[in-house]
Amino acid sequence: MTFDSVFFDNASTTKIMPEIAEELVCFNNDYYFNPSALYYHLHRMSEQNKPTLENMRQSILKCLGGDNGKLIFTGSATEASNLAIFGSVKKNTRKILVSMGEHPSVYNSALELKNRGFDVEFVNLDKTGKVDIDDFEKKMTEDVDFVSIMHVSNETGAINDIARLVSIVKDVNPKAIFHCDGVQAFGKINVNVDDLGVDMYTISAHKIYGSKGVGALYVKNKVSLKPIIFGGGQESGLRSGTENLIGIYTLYRASQIVTKNLDENYNKILNLKNLFLQKLAKTNLKYALHSFEDNSPYIVSASFEKCRAETLLNMLGDYDNIYVGNGSACSSKKMGNRVLESMGVSKSDIEGNLRISFGLYNTPEEVEYLVQKLSERVNMYLTNAR
Ligand code: PLP
């Protein structure tokens, strides 16, 4: 069986759900007004069931379990996390704690704070890719005022126990702010920001079948946040700039759909992951897995012995139209991998590391095709390398 193209890089992005794309035509005709203009609010806010900006905001908050907070729409998850970090760190912030596993949107923001003279500590990961609890407890001292730890790793699918980490933080310093990057968690595993206890939580539309260029930051009531973008004062003054209404519509609808189908989708993806691992185990390939059973099934990190991931990735793309990732597609990858290094993965394993991430439009047939081609290409690579 052959395929036109097979996409196994769903952690980097997803396509807009066809049903949402269809609805967009109607939405665009009816709701092209500037959402911050007075006439729009007077006219639309009174119509209860219409997807006005405020109704969409409330609906997404409900999907997040965010009864005790607000939602700020941004131009990406990267921007949402930047708002969380640079909007809450103040001159008198004493210490900042982030993990070595963070996506560059958080990790590089932390490095920037360090460059600006702030005291920033990085918490190590354990062998399974989760935040090392012992190291976290050691570094979570009473002078830590801001913490940012991701929910699900975009590299390995490791799930951090956010509720436990929040409770450690608040026990030591009840005033410390806890931000969580939930981009690879929301819509894939159970998320309830109230139960997690976080102060802020970042989400992105294009990881859950909405459009690119839309993110949002959940902010718990009473968290004091300053804007990082100035202008017309939209989004409660926290993110100036006319809201991307079309993009927000895709986030709103995608949030509704993925939240409603969470268990069904999870089981479907788990079956694809298990099929992948079973089929892979039957090949003659030598590989190491850096994703474990209690991870999110949406992401598998695997290293192929004596291979260079970049070459494999190109072979699969060029010859077989199969698209897989090698780590975070949001960053132009330099050699090495900070996340895997922090887990203690060897340099040669890092070189041969691929990220396979499953999505709702993948089928078991595509998974079988992936393993068949992966096996052929790795064997071809090793023969040519001899
Ligand atoms: N955080 C995580 C965990 C991600 O995986 C990504 C994208 O790969 C982002 C943040 C950035 O999302 P966006 O593209 O919306 O800025």
Side-chain angles (χ1 to χ4, degrees):
M1 197 184 284
T2 54
F3 298 88
D4 284 345
S5 85
V6 184
F7 190 68
F8 280 109
D9 195 19
N10 293 275
S12 75
T13 198
T14 54
K15 71 171 177 186
I16 298 181
M17 275 185 202
E19 58 266 47
I20 300 179
E22 256 176 50
E23 291 166 17
L24 279 180
V25 180
C26 255
F27 183 76
N28 185 43
N29 285 336
D30 291 350
Y31 296 94
Y32 60 88
F33 306 101
N34 184 329
S36 292
L38 190 59
Y39 58 78
Y40 180 87
H41 283 277
L42 291 176
H43 179 60
R44 298 285 160 183
M45 288 293 278
S46 56
E47 293 181 42
Q48 276 309 303
N49 298 318
K50 293 282 165 63
T52 63
L53 185 62
E54 292 319 308
N55 288 342
M56 293 194 281
R57 196 190 309 278
Q58 291 313 315
S59 170
I60 299 167
L61 271 172
K62 209 166 163 205
C63 294
L64 277 165
D67 294 341
N68 299 310
K70 56 179 181 258
L71 194 76
I72 308 297
F73 291 116
T74 61
S76 62
T78 299
E79 191 195 317
S81 291
N82 270 254
L83 173 60
I85 296 166
F86 293 101
S88 41
V89 169
K90 303 179 181 73
K91 266 193 199 136
N92 61 356
T93 298
R94 292 169 297 168
K95 206 167 178 184
I96 294 137
L97 206 55
V98 304
S99 86
M100 286 303 291
E102 299 304 307
H103 181 268
S105 52
V106 168
Y107 186 79
N108 289 340
S109 297
L111 287 184
E112 175 57 23
L113 287 174
K114 208 172 162 73
N115 283 340
R116 293 183 192 180
F118 284 95
D119 187 358
V120 182
E121 278 263 29
F122 294 94
V123 185
N124 295 326
L125 303 181
D126 65 19
K127 283 191 166 42
T128 68
K130 295 181 186 131
V131 163
D132 181 324
I133 295 283
D134 291 341
D135 197 40
F136 187 79
E137 284 184 320
K138 198 171 83 200
K139 290 174 177 160
M140 182 54 225
T141 45
E142 157 294 315
D143 56 348
V144 171
D145 289 322
F146 185 87
V147 179
S148 187
I149 302 286
M150 74 201 314
H151 201 168
V152 171
S153 165
N154 53 294
E155 299 271 352
T156 62
I159 304 175
N160 283 313
D161 185 346
I162 296 297
R164 181 168 175 208
L165 296 173
V166 170
S167 124
I168 294 170
V169 168
K170 301 286 176 177
D171 277 353
V172 177
N173 177 8
K175 288 196 175 144
I177 298 294
F178 197 113
H179 165 252
C180 179
D181 173 350
V183 166
Q184 299 291 349
F186 178 56
K188 297 176 181 177
I189 63 166
N190 211 3
V191 171
N192 182 305
V193 288
D194 252 9
D195 292 349
L196 293 174
V198 293
D199 295 301
M200 289 185 277
Y201 196 89
T202 294
I203 59 171
S204 180
H206 74 106
K207 310 288 179 171
I208 54 166
Y209 314 95
S211 87
K212 288 152 195 60
V214 191
L217 181 68
Y218 161 79
V219 185
K220 198 177 189 168
N221 292 336
K222 296 202 180 121
V223 169
S224 137
L225 199 60
K226 291 211 171 94
I228 56 169
I229 293 177
F230 298 87
Q234 289 91 342
E235 297 299 296
S236 316
L238 284 171
R239 201 281 188 175
S240 286
T242 302
E243 288 92 345
N244 171 3
L245 214 56
I246 288 273
I248 291 170
Y249 182 81
T250 68
L251 175 59
Y252 148 72
R253 288 288 292 127
S255 301
Q256 283 185 329
I257 296 169
V258 291
T259 308
K260 184 167 151 264
N261 301 334
L262 194 79
D263 292 343
E264 191 189 317
N265 291 347
Y266 185 94
N267 288 330
K268 177 186 168 161
I269 299 294
L270 184 61
N271 285 338
L272 293 178
K273 174 191 168 180
N274 287 340
L275 179 66
F276 173 71
L277 295 180
Q278 279 159 18
K279 293 282 169 189
L280 196 61
K282 289 194 179 135
T283 65
N284 68 344
L285 303 183
K286 293 208 169 82
Y287 59 91
L289 295 174
H290 313 297
S291 297
F292 302 89
E293 219 168 297
D294 61 349
N295 280 24
S296 160
Y298 283 79
I299 298 174
V300 171
S301 169
S303 297
F304 294 89
E305 204 176 286
K306 299 200 173 100
C307 289
R308 276 178 62 95
E310 221 174 290
T311 314
L312 273 184
L313 192 133
N314 288 334
M315 286 166 99
L316 288 167
D318 291 348
Y319 300 137
D320 310 309
N321 289 325
I322 293 176
Y323 302 98
V324 295
N326 67 337
S328 173
C330 298
S331 59
S332 50
K333 202 105 185 137
K334 299 188 192 84
M335 275 310 285
N337 182 313
R338 153 177 55 83
V339 178
L340 295 178
E341 269 167 32
S342 180
M343 289 166 66
V345 175
S346 69
K347 200 164 173 283
S348 61
D349 265 5
I350 290 175
E351 263 185 23
N353 182 259
L354 291 181
R355 180 184 71 174
I356 289 115
S357 50
F358 304 100
L360 296 180
Y361 301 114
N362 289 133
T363 61
E365 292 74 23
E366 286 179 347
V367 171
E368 296 199 24
Y369 181 66
L370 167 68
V371 177
Q372 181 202 326
K373 291 298 168 188
L374 197 52
S375 169
E376 282 173 28
R377 297 305 163 205
V378 171
N379 282 311
M380 183 190 267
Y381 180 103
L382 294 175
T383 310
N384 290 341
R386 262 186 222 132

